[in-house]
């Protein structure tokens, strides 16, 4: 039979979150998108206009 009781190890596993959880946060994704757009604009400027 499946054990459905809550234990201390199950609670600690729930608190452990990896990189994908961090990337799913909207403020971090907005920050990374802004940095990516700035890098893209700078690289396109160097390639096309200089």
């Amino acid at each position: 039979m499946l054990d459905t009781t809550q234990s201390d190890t199950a609670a600690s596993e729930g608190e452990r979150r990896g990189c994908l959880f961090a990337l799913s946060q909207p403020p971090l994704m907005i920050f990374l998108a802004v940095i990516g757009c700035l890098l893209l604009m700078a690289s396109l400027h160097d390639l096309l206009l200089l």
Side-chain angles (χ1 to χ4, degrees):
M1 184 174 228
L2 181 63
D3 184 21
T4 59
T5 59
Q6 295 285 334
S7 65
D8 292 336
T9 57
S12 65
E13 288 176 4
E15 293 175 3
R16 233 180 33 182
R17 295 188 173 134
C19 185
L20 289 178
F21 175 77
L23 285 177
S24 68
Q25 302 303 310
L28 179 62
M29 289 305 294
I30 292 171
F31 172 75
L32 292 176
V34 168
I35 297 299
C37 286
L38 289 175
L39 288 173
L40 180 66
M41 289 191 316
S43 63
L44 288 176
H45 177 265
D46 286 345
L47 286 173
L48 300 175
L49 298 176
L50 293 179

